[in-house]
Amino acid sequence: MRKIVYIHRANFEKRPPVISCVLNLLDIGCEVVLVTTGITEELQNKVVSKGGEVICVDYVMHKSPFELIRNTFNYRKDIQKVLKSYNRNEVMLWVEGNYTITSLFDIFTKFEYVLQIQENDFERHKLPFVNLKRILQNAKLIYMPEYNRAWLYKIKFELDKLPLIMPNKAYLMPSGDEFSDLERKHSEKVKLLKEKKNIIYQGLLCKERDLKPFLRAFADNSTYNIVLIGKDYGVLDEYKQIIPTLIHFDYLPYPDYFIVTKYGDIGIVTYEPDNINTVYCAPNKLYEYSYFGIPLIGNDIPGLSYPINTYKMGVIVDITNELSIQDAVCKIEVNYQDYKSNATRFYNDCDNQKVLNSVLEIL
């Protein structure tokens, strides 16, 4: 069996789908060398304890088009140095992320490879000298996290086969002992969250994920804390004008943010339907919420309405109508245990190790 050299141009701890994929590959018996641009000691130890190897290379984020090209070529040189120690017959490359794919371009002619594509955003990362169509068509396998995104890629790049669907299900969920440690570490947060029920949102606070319709609907609520978890990109002050008492926790690293998720009673998930990538979203928070059996309220886009309605694990709302959002809370409260058990079923029905077994056939 060939070794997998898994390459992604990002910090490992900031990419839950990458964490999940690498650890699942190790669990099904693959030999994996992770080539990353950053990793925490905790996660490095986790990979190594499962038999994996970790190699870190540098990548400096660009501030201009010139820096993008320069830094891309420097990154590519570092990857070439890593790959020089491997015979092409001994390894299979596994390349994650559109930005990583465009960084490596001609390296793909020297090895067989698998692609893991998370976003429908090649236009943001493309370089004029990179033949993306050829790279995708020559891949041994392509994995994507969402069915509609896979079809879009199949048509756009004239692929022979539909990419395999590997949902963004989290792998490393904290255990009972870890939660006890987290409760002690974040005792003040826990005390605050225990005062009331909690409607939570976790993710970036930005215009592309507009929470104002939800906050207006909850403005007169006294039953729930409104809890936001995530880095603010210029919208928090506006949100606090709507609900001055809302609770905001800034960016919390893995696994710390799960101590907040654990105390959620209802979870919000929303994306602005202004591009294909958000309309066919594939949020890992669906699986993080559902791990705790948290019923969901989401806006009406295909990437949310299909899983939420299919599993009856929440309510899809019209975000232009405050009553629609308020009614959703009432519906969930009346049938809370049903929604909760359906959310848990959604989480348990996803088996990414089964999806990844297809790679064993080509190693």
Side-chain angles (χ1 to χ4, degrees), residues 244-261:
T245 58
L246 74 78
I247 299 168
H248 173 239
F249 299 123
D250 206 348
Y251 169 77
L252 292 170
Y254 169 88
D256 294 45
Y257 65 88
F258 286 123
I259 198 62
V260 183
T261 315

Side-chain angles (χ1 to χ4, degrees), residues 6-10 34-38 55-60 67-83 94-105 107:
Y6 190 109
I7 305 170
H8 82 116
R9 202 193 76 191
L34 170 64
V35 184
T36 181
T37 57
I55 298 173
C56 282
V57 299
D58 291 329
Y59 182 80
V60 180
E67 287 184 353
L68 168 61
I69 294 173
R70 183 195 63 193
N71 295 349
T72 295
F73 272 90
N74 288 338
Y75 174 75
R76 176 176 162 276
K77 286 180 181 178
D78 287 340
I79 297 299
Q80 283 180 315
K81 290 177 183 176
V82 170
L83 295 179
W94 188 300
V95 184
E96 184 277 332
N98 299 345
Y99 35 81
T100 316
I101 293 167
T102 54
S103 297
L104 302 184
F105 48 99
I107 288 177

Side-chain angles (χ1 to χ4, degrees), residues 80-314:
Q80 283 180 315
K81 290 177 183 176
V82 170
L83 295 179
K84 277 184 179 179
S85 60
Y86 298 107
N87 184 298
R88 64 172 294 160
N89 297 320
E90 298 174 342
V91 299
M92 170 79 72
L93 301 190
W94 188 300
V95 184
E96 184 277 332
N98 299 345
Y99 35 81
T100 316
I101 293 167
T102 54
S103 297
L104 302 184
F105 48 99
D106 65 330
I107 288 177
F108 290 106
T109 64
K110 301 170 184 175
F111 293 87
E112 289 190 331
Y113 54 90
V114 171
L115 300 179
Q116 182 181 346
I117 300 170
Q118 295 300 120
E119 309 289 347
N120 186 28
D121 64 350
F122 262 127
E123 295 301 317
R124 288 176 53 202
H125 303 287
K126 71 178 182 180
L127 295 171
F129 45 81
V130 179
N131 188 335
L132 291 174
K133 183 176 178 180
R134 178 176 58 81
I135 290 172
L136 270 73
Q137 288 180 342
N138 289 335
K140 300 296 289 185
L141 290 172
I142 300 176
Y143 288 92
M144 297 191 72
E146 201 272 338
Y147 178 74
N148 295 287
R149 289 185 184 181
W151 269 106
L152 289 169
Y153 267 64
K154 184 181 187 304
I155 294 168
K156 181 175 181 178
F157 294 104
E158 299 177 13
L159 305 177
D160 289 337
K161 295 181 179 180
L162 186 71
L164 298 169
I165 311 304
M166 181 169 60
N168 287 335
K169 180 181 181 179
Y171 177 98
L172 286 173
M173 303 304 288
S175 66
D177 289 342
E178 288 172 315
F179 271 123
S180 297
D181 293 339
L182 289 174
E183 293 217 351
R184 286 190 289 270
K185 181 178 179 181
H186 297 284
S187 58
E188 291 302 314
K189 293 183 179 68
V190 171
K191 181 179 178 182
L192 187 61
L193 294 169
K194 284 183 174 180
E195 291 178 356
K196 290 183 181 180
K197 293 180 179 180
N198 300 290
I199 296 175
I200 67 170
Y201 167 84
Q202 61 185 50
L204 301 179
L205 303 182
C206 58
K207 293 179 180 178
E208 291 76 23
R209 304 180 187 182
D210 187 15
L211 297 177
K212 292 195 296 293
F214 294 92
L215 298 179
R216 293 190 188 104
F218 301 144
D220 296 327
N221 146 79
S222 60
T223 304
Y224 293 90
N225 287 319
I226 308 302
V227 184
L228 312 182
I229 318 161
K231 186 175 180 180
D232 172 37
Y233 287 88
V235 297
L236 184 60
D237 287 343
E238 189 175 3
Y239 290 171
K240 286 186 174 180
Q241 288 177 10
I242 302 171
I243 301 182
T245 58
L246 74 78
I247 299 168
H248 173 239
F249 299 123
D250 206 348
Y251 169 77
L252 292 170
Y254 169 88
D256 294 45
Y257 65 88
F258 286 123
I259 198 62
V260 183
T261 315
K262 178 186 177 183
Y263 286 96
D265 295 281
I266 296 174
I268 296 172
V269 57
T270 181
Y271 289 86
E272 198 70 19
D274 56 4
N275 63 70
I276 291 295
N277 201 49
T278 56
V279 167
Y280 296 122
C281 59
N284 51 286
K285 67 174 67 69
L286 284 182
Y287 290 93
E288 294 176 345
Y289 288 152
S290 62
Y291 173 79
F292 294 98
I294 299 173
L296 304 175
I297 296 176
N299 62 319
D300 191 8
I301 55 176
L304 298 179
S305 62
Y306 178 77
I308 290 174
N309 287 336
T310 298
Y311 275 84
K312 297 181 172 58
M313 59 177 179

Side-chain angles (χ1 to χ4, degrees), residues 41-57:
E41 182 179 358
E42 177 186 4
L43 283 171
Q44 179 163 336
N45 291 340
K46 189 77 172 179
V47 172
V48 172
S49 71
K50 289 179 173 289
E53 180 184 348
V54 178
I55 298 173
C56 282
V57 299

